[in-house]
Amino acid sequence: MTETFTLVHISDVHLGPLDGFHLRHLNTKRALGYLNWQRGRRHVHSRSVADRIAADALAQAPDHIAVTGDLANLGLPGEYANALAWLEALGDPRRVSVVPGNLDIYTRRLGGASCLETWAPFMRGNETPTDETGPVRFPYVRRQGPVALIGLNSAVPTPPFVAAGRLGEAQIAALSQTLVRLGETGLIRVVLIHHPPLPGQAPPRRALEDAAALAEVLERCGAELVLHGHNHRQMLAWRRHGARGIPVLGAASASAQAAHKAEPLARYHVLRLRRESGLAHIDCEIRGLAEAEGEIVRLAREDLVCPADDRCVAPRCSVLSGATICAHFVHAQDGVPRSMRPIARVTRVRFVLVSAASETDAEQHRLSRFRRHLKINLALQGGGAHGAFTWGVLDRLLEEEHLSFGWISATSAGAVNAVALASGLVTGGREGARAKLREVWEGVHKAGVPDLLRLNPFLAGLSSPNALAHVTSFLSPYDFNPLGYDPLRTLLSDTIDFEGIRQRAPVELLIAATEVATGRPRLFRRAEMSVEAVLASSCLPTLHRTVEIDGVGYWDGGFSKNPDLVTLATESPVKDTLIVELNPLERRELPKGVREIAGGVNRLTFNAPLLRDIEMILAVRNSVGGWFGTKRGPQGALAAHRFHMIEAGRYTASLSDDSKLKPDLGLLTYLHSAGRTQTHKWIGQHMRAIGRRETADLAHRFQGRGGIPASEDESDSGTAPDVAASRA
C-alpha cells in the first residue's frame, strides 16, 4: 500500500501585536520598520487570522507542518517568545519544522536571544542524536516517514530598505551533497527556504543573492518539491531535473486580513505526498480566505507533477492569479489567450496553460530594451582542478544576454576554459558555450585527469598526490610515461572544434605557453589555435612531456604569463577586462612540511607573472600622470584600461595545494557553484561599471595600498565541502 504523507505549508505569519519595543533595540532599520508597521502593515496582518489559519491547518490532520519564515516583524526578543508560543500550539517540535525569514533575523543588533536560539527545537535535524541536541546547523535534515525535510537559512542582516537573502557557499555545497545522498534513499526530498530560490522571482533588493547557484544545484542534484514564502503571493515555478521538473511553490501570507497591492488574503497549502512507480506525486490544496470576513475554505486543488516530456521548460515563475490558479509553463502553441488567464475563486481547476512568453518574460523584454550592451575581455588564470571555479564564472556570465566577450587571455586550465567557451559559441551560441564547458569538465572528471594531467593509465594507482609527488621526485615524465599517453589530447580532440575556433570564433584568444629554451612567453592566437597550443599551455614539466610545436619546446604558460594582461590591455579594442583569479596571493600559515613547502613554491612561482604585469600597469599609470593621463600609444592604452576582478581565494585558500591534482567530483561541483555565486554577486555590484570605471583597486589588492573597498563581501567566508578525506 502506498503511504501518503500530509504536509502543511505556512509562511509569512507576521505575528502581532508589536510589543516589547525598547530603546536598547533601536537602530535606523528598526525605526523605519516600526513606522512601516504602524502606518501600514499592522492593518494588513492580523493575529486572529493567523490563529484561524493554524486551527484550520490542524483540522486537516497533517503529519507535519512546515513554516517558511517571517514569524516576526522587527526581529525583537519579545516577538521570538510570542512566536515560540504560537509554534508550540501548532504541535510538538518533532512535527513542526521552521526556517527563518529575513524579518526573523532583521538586524545585527538583537538586544536579546536570537530566533535561532529561541526556536531551536523546531530547527534541529533528526538524523543523528547529535543533531537533536546540538546547535542549529543549516541545512538541517528531518526524516518523517517517506519524506525528508531539508531546511535552509537564507536570512541575513541587511541595511534599511533591503530584504535580500543569502545562503553562502558552505550551505549550498552541503545542500548539494545532502540532496544526492537523500536521493539515493528514495525519500521524497522537500526543500524549505524563505526567499524565492530561483533567479528573477523577486527584485534585487528582495531577492536571494545566490539564487543562480541554488537553482543550479536543484537542477543537477534534484529534489521533489521546494517550498518558500517572502513574496506574500501564491507562486509556482518549475526547475528541470532530468526528464521531469521540480515544482517550486511559494505561499501567500498566512495572516493577511486585507488584500494589499498584489498580495491576496491569507492562505496556506495542504500537500499530500506519495510515491508511485518510483515517481513522487504531490496533491496540492490551497486553503484560505475567499472573503475578508469569510470562512477558511478550499480555493484550489491540483497535482504538482511535471510531465516527462519537453513541456516543462521554463525556469521562471508565474504568480498564481487571483485565489486559485496554478500555472504550468508549456510551449507557446499550447497556451491560452491572455484574456482567459484570470480565472478566480473556483473550487477545483486544472493547470492554466500559460505560454513561455509570460508576463514575467514580457517585463524582462521591456527592461532589456533599456540595457546597455556591454563587452568585456577575460583574463583567466591557470590552477588545475581549481579551474572549475572559472567554469562557474563563465557559466553565470553567459546567462547575461546583454554582455558579450572581446578578447580572452588564458593559461593552463584557463586555456581549457577559453577554448571550450569559444568552441561552444561557434556551435551553439550562449547555451552551446554553457553546454560545452559542462561537457569538458565532466570529461575531465570521468577521465580522472588530475590538474588536466596526462598520465599513463597503468599508473592509475599512483594518481594520489602523495604517490605522485614521490614518483616525480626521482622519475621524469619520459620515464613513467614512455608512450606519451595523453587523455587530455583525446578529450580536447573529441569535444573542441578547433577549426571552427580558427575560422568563426567571435572572440580573440591569447593562450600563453613558455619557451623552454629561453623562458620567454609565447602567445598562441585564435588563428593558430590547436590541441597542441592548449597542451603546451598546460604542460607542467615534472608531470608532462615537453610539448613541441614547429621544433620549439614549451612548458606551462604559468611560468611566464598567468595570464598576459599587458598584451590584452594594449591591443584589445575592448577597454574593460575581468580577471578571474584562482590562486590566493597569500597564505597565513607558514609552510613547514615537505608538501606544504612545495605547494608554497608552486604558488609563488605561478603568481609571480601576474604580479609583474600588475606592477608594470601601475608604474605606467604613474608615469603618464595617473588614471586620466593623456599620453597616446600603448602606454596610454595600458594606463587607461579598466580592470575588474572575481577572486576564488577565499574558496581555494582553504584547500590543499594537492587538490589541484585531483578532479574530485565534490571539489569540482563545489568550485563551480562558488564561481557562479561570486559572479552573481559581482554582476549585482559591479557590472554597471563596465565601460565607465574600474572596480578592482590593483594597488590595494596587489601592493597593499589604495583606498577603494574590496569588491568581495569579506563577511561571507566560504568553506570547502567535506571532500577532503577523499582527496587526502
Side-chain angles (χ1 to χ4, degrees), residues 488-509:
L488 180 60
R489 181 188 300 277
T490 303
L491 175 62
L492 293 175
S493 299
D494 292 344
T495 57
I496 304 300
D497 180 9
F498 285 98
E499 179 64 25
I501 292 176
R502 292 190 294 268
Q503 299 296 330
R504 303 186 304 277
V507 294
E508 179 59 84
L509 298 177

Side-chain angles (χ1 to χ4, degrees), residues 329-391:
F329 284 95
V330 298
H331 285 307
Q333 61 267 26
D334 296 325
V336 296
R338 182 181 297 270
S339 61
M340 296 182 63
R341 295 178 188 174
I343 306 172
R345 297 186 178 89
V346 297
T347 58
R348 180 177 178 88
V349 298
R350 295 296 298 170
F351 277 113
V352 177
L353 303 181
V354 182
S355 74
S358 64
E359 294 170 0
T360 302
D361 293 323
E363 181 65 22
Q364 291 294 323
H365 176 72
R366 286 193 295 272
L367 292 175
S368 67
R369 294 183 298 171
F370 300 97
R371 290 176 173 168
R372 292 184 300 135
H373 182 78
L374 306 175
K375 200 164 190 175
I376 196 168
N377 300 321
L378 297 172
L380 311 180
Q381 270 198 324
H386 294 182
F389 179 91
T390 304
W391 166 32

Side-chain angles (χ1 to χ4, degrees), residues 268-284:
Y268 73 101
H269 297 137
V270 182
L271 302 154
R272 295 176 175 85
L273 303 90
R274 68 186 188 280
R275 259 194 199 279
E276 290 183 2
S277 304
L279 298 177
H281 291 264
I282 305 171
D283 181 88
C284 177

